[in-house]
Amino acid sequence: MGAHEIRVRLGGISRQRVYQLTSRADFPAPVADLVQGKVWMTSDVEEWITAHRRA
C-alpha cells in the first residue's frame, strides 16, 4: 500500500496528513522505499487504522 492508497483508505486526507501519520513512531515501518515512494504492508496499515480510529 502506497501513500495514495492510505489517503484513499482514510477518506481522502491530504498528502501532508499522510506524511504526518506515516512519520509517527507508532506507524508501521515501510517494507520498501521505492523511487515512487514508500510502501507498507496493507495488513499492517489496516491494523494500525483499526487501533487508532476514532470511535
Side-chain angles (χ1 to χ4, degrees):
M1 175 178 276
H4 177 75
E5 289 82 11
I6 294 171
R7 286 182 67 200
V8 171
R9 178 63 181 83
L10 293 174
I13 63 175
S14 70
R15 290 184 309 195
Q16 281 183 311
R17 184 64 180 141
V18 170
Y19 177 78
Q20 290 171 343
L21 293 174
T22 58
S23 296
R24 290 174 48 148
D26 64 345
F27 197 83
V31 293
D33 192 356
L34 307 175
V35 172
Q36 298 89 351
K38 296 177 182 177
V39 292
W40 293 263
M41 291 289 296
T42 299
S43 58
D44 292 346
V45 174
E46 290 293 341
E47 184 178 314
W48 186 89
I49 290 170
T50 300
H52 292 84
R53 179 176 290 170
R54 292 181 185 164

